[in-house]
């Protein structure tokens, strides 16, 4: 626990207070205050502003996912019951087809945008860009020499018309093993002064989260037996087809695969909002929003493919600062590259997708879900960890469960023991 000396808090702004002093201003009961103080650590307070305590998300393992011929144990952080059980079930089905084959489809550069508006002479802008190309590359290198030394840095620049008076200068930057948001923004800030004659028209230099140069695909071919027979395989294809034509279904299917993909991303301290923003934009790449995964029957096998734009790192940001993120990476392996992690995120998304589709076209998703929800309910009504399995078992046998019923059974359980 941290120990800070008391000072006159009234003269300080909230952000200037220590974590414990901030808590003092929130008028909390003593037990809540103690719990929040006990969950503090010194590192986290350096990462975010107005820090008061840590919020812990449960982490579990996707065990033995066969990915490009190697079996991985992949940490997943999620608050949602049944996600990790489903991911493991999905992996088991994928493994029955020899596992997932992944591919990096693009050159793995992040896109930084220099946003220009009120353009009256588009050709002048194009001519300027061509004439100053070498200067821009030299400045980009000088702005971030260490990323250049690692083989990264600015790789290409393209002018892209957005409307007849708006354009984006798209800068393609290799950020190596870092996710790269700060690296990109730093390089953009370095090169923008070169465009000084357009300074009134330049709105901003900022990375784009639509990572279309960081596409990763995962593919599997499964025997029908892996999912329980040809009939179920055909129903998986049919419900996925629905998601390619109905935005209501597509949104739910895509949320389901991010249950897995985002949980892997979060466990390693990566930015899962970036992953999801890019993924949802990619789902709408044709103008309409559709399911991201595609399932089909080919040569008497069930074939599944998932392609996602993935910007993640294994160094930098919170990944290097948070011991929890480092520990999660260590579970995967000794030296995990950003590209390896990107492949795992998409493969996990595919496993999660298959498990969800299989469940909803066969047993129904509720059966598996409710067992996990009842565990959460048991804890919520005060069951001890020892009591949870027995109470959960009892609740799954009932046709209707609510808090009152669960409490009644917990009391009965206690009376009997
Ligand atoms: P950092 O700013 O921490 O940059 C990563 C640093 O890691 C590099 O500058 C480099 O520093 C060091 N490094 C060490 N080894 C390597 C290697 N092998 N490859 C690459 N770099 C290496 O983080 P990012 O630029 O990755 O930014 C990620 C953070 O930005 C995330 O936390 C994200 O949430 C946040 N963010 C996201 C935004 C968005 O998505 N829109 C916007 C702004 C921030 P050195 O060369 O000095 O060793």
């Amino acid at each position: 626990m941290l120990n800070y000396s008391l000072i006159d808090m009234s003269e300080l702004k909230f952000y200037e207070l220590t974590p414990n002093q901030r808590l003092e201003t929130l008028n909390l009961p003593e037990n809540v205050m103690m719990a929040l103080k006990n969950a503090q650590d010194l590192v986290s307070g350096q990462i975010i502003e107005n820090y008061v305590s840590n919020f812990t998300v449960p982490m579990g393992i996707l065990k033995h996912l066969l990915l490009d011929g190697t079996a991985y144990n992949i940490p997943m952080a999620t608050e949602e019951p049944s996600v990790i059980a489903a991911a493991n079930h999905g992996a088991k089905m994928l493994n029955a087809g020899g596992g997932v084959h992944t591919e990096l489809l693009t050159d793995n550069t992040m896109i930084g945008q220099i946003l220009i508006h009120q353009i009256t002479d588009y050709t002048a802008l194009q001519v300027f860009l061509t004439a100053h190309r070498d200067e821009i590359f030299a400045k980009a290198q000088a702005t971030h020499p260490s990323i250049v030394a690692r083989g990264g840095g600015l790789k290409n620049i393209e002018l892209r018309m957005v409307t007849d008076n708006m354009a984006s200068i798209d800068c393609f930057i290799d950020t190596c093993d870092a996710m790269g948001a700060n690296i990109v923004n730093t390089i953009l800030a370095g090169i923008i002064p070169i465009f000084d004659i357009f300074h009134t028209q330049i709105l901003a230099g900022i990375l784009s989260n639509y990572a279309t140069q960081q596409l990763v695909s995962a593919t599997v071919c499964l025997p029908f037996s892996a999912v329980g027979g040809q009939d179920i395989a055909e129903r998986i294809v049919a419900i996925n087809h629905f998601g390619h034509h109905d935005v209501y279904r597509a949104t739910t299917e895509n949320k389901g695969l991010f249950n897995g993909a985002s949980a892997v991303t979060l466990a390693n301290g990566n930015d899962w909002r970036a992953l999801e923003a890019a993924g949802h934009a990619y789902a709408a790449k044709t103008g309409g929003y559709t399911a991201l995964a595609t399932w089909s029957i080919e040569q008497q096998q069930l074939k599944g493919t998932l392609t996602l734009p993935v910007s993640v790192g294994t160094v930098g940001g919170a990944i290097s600062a948070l011991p929890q993120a480092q520990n999660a990476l260590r579970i995967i392996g000794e030296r995990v590259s950003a590209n390896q992690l990107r492949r795992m995120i998409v493969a996990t998304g595919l496993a999660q997708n298959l498990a969800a589709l299989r469940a909803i076209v066969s047993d129904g998703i509720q059966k598996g879900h409710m067992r996990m929800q009842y565990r959460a309910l048991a804890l919520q009504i005060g069951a001890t960890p020892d009591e949870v399995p027995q109470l959960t078992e009892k609740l799954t046998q009932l046709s209707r469960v609510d808090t009152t019923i669960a409490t009644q059974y917990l009391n009965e359980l206690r009376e009997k023991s």
Side-chain angles (χ1 to χ4, degrees):
M1 197 179 21
L2 305 178
N3 183 15
Y4 296 102
S5 59
L6 281 175
I7 53 169
D8 183 2
M9 292 193 285
S10 61
E11 288 180 7
L12 295 174
K13 299 206 169 64
F14 191 75
Y15 71 86
E16 292 171 322
L17 301 176
T18 65
N20 285 355
Q21 288 164 348
R22 288 180 199 131
L23 285 173
E24 299 291 345
T25 69
L26 299 177
N27 299 322
L28 298 166
E30 192 53 32
N31 61 333
V32 177
M33 181 80 101
M34 281 313 292
L36 290 167
K37 285 183 180 177
N38 286 336
Q40 290 170 345
D41 72 55
L42 287 170
V43 175
S44 303
Q46 304 302 314
I47 292 182
I48 62 159
E49 304 76 28
N50 285 357
Y51 174 78
V52 289
S53 186
N54 280 3
F55 180 92
T56 320
V57 177
M59 182 171 84
I61 301 291
L62 167 53
K63 192 90 181 82
H64 200 91
L65 174 66
L66 264 179
L67 202 157
D68 300 320
T70 304
Y72 289 97
N73 297 321
I74 305 175
M76 300 173 72
T78 179
E79 90 300 346
E80 186 174 334
S82 81
V83 163
I84 295 178
N88 277 281
H89 182 217
K92 208 169 156 195
M93 291 187 276
L94 300 187
N95 292 350
V100 189
H101 171 69
T102 63
E103 216 178 325
L104 306 177
L105 300 183
T106 42
D107 63 3
N108 193 20
T109 49
M110 244 201 154
I111 301 169
Q113 296 188 276
I114 299 176
L115 306 172
I116 308 180
H117 73 151
Q118 297 173 346
I119 299 169
T120 49
D121 188 349
Y122 183 72
T123 311
L125 187 58
Q126 180 71 70
V127 168
F128 181 90
L129 197 62
T130 309
H132 290 79
R133 205 176 163 82
D134 289 348
E135 189 187 344
I136 293 166
F137 273 86
K139 186 69 186 166
Q141 295 205 355
T143 306
H144 212 307
S146 62
I147 205 71
V148 178
R150 290 190 178 91
L154 182 64
K155 297 294 174 186
N156 194 15
I157 320 172
E158 281 172 14
L159 182 61
R160 183 170 51 84
M161 281 292 277
V162 176
T163 67
D164 57 4
N165 68 358
M166 288 196 281
S168 169
I169 298 172
D170 293 338
C171 302
F172 299 86
I173 298 170
D174 181 349
T175 61
C176 301
D177 278 325
M179 181 266 194
N182 293 323
I183 296 174
V184 168
N185 288 341
T186 303
I187 292 176
L188 293 178
I191 62 181
I192 279 180
I194 296 174
F195 296 87
D196 195 38
I197 61 164
F198 301 103
H199 75 274
T200 56
Q201 291 150 274
I202 291 182
L203 279 173
I206 183 84
L207 86 152
S208 169
N209 281 111
Y210 191 27
T212 52
Q213 291 305 115
Q214 297 185 298
L215 294 178
V216 185
S217 80
T219 305
V220 280
C221 286
L222 307 178
F224 294 142
S225 59
V227 294
Q230 182 163 354
D231 177 49
I232 293 179
E234 283 169 1
R235 289 169 67 80
I236 288 170
V237 172
I239 196 161
N240 174 248
H241 189 63
F242 217 99
H244 281 271
H245 290 87
D246 176 33
V247 67
Y248 287 89
R249 179 57 215 147
T251 308
T252 319
E253 187 175 319
N254 291 343
K255 187 275 178 184
L257 74 83
F258 281 114
N259 278 341
S262 299
V264 178
T265 307
L266 173 60
N268 296 290
N270 270 287
D271 188 335
W272 78 97
R273 288 88 56 209
L275 178 82
E276 294 188 0
H280 292 301
Y282 194 66
K285 64 181 181 304
T286 55
Y289 183 93
T290 73
L292 282 157
T294 300
W295 292 93
S296 58
I297 306 277
E298 285 181 28
Q299 295 170 341
Q300 285 301 101
Q301 285 197 310
L302 176 64
K303 184 179 176 190
T305 307
L306 172 64
T307 301
L308 286 180
V310 188
S311 290
V312 291
T314 49
V315 292
I319 307 153
S320 297
L322 285 175
Q324 299 94 313
Q326 290 295 308
N327 295 341
L329 278 173
R330 185 60 191 80
I331 291 173
I332 298 173
E334 229 170 282
R335 287 179 68 84
V336 185
S337 71
N339 280 342
Q340 271 177 299
L341 185 58
R342 293 167 71 215
R343 292 173 194 269
M344 277 171 219
I345 288 167
V346 182
T348 307
L350 190 63
Q352 201 79 45
N353 178 247
L354 178 61
L357 297 188
R358 162 118 188 11
I360 54 180
V361 298
S362 51
D363 310 339
I365 203 112
Q366 269 323 76
K367 201 173 147 198
H369 256 245
M370 289 325 289
R371 176 172 290 274
M372 303 301 287
Q373 297 291 0
Y374 292 156
R375 281 198 215 173
L377 176 62
L379 287 169
Q380 189 189 313
I381 61 167
T384 64
D386 285 346
E387 293 166 334
V388 170
Q390 231 182 317
L391 182 58
T392 306
E393 194 50 47
K394 181 72 208 168
L395 297 180
T396 51
Q397 291 160 11
L398 303 177
S399 54
R400 193 174 68 82
V401 172
D402 59 25
T403 310
T404 314
I405 294 171
T407 309
Q408 184 190 321
Y409 277 98
L410 176 61
N411 291 338
E412 279 180 22
L413 199 76
R414 285 177 177 169
E415 277 163 23
K416 279 184 205 157
S417 60

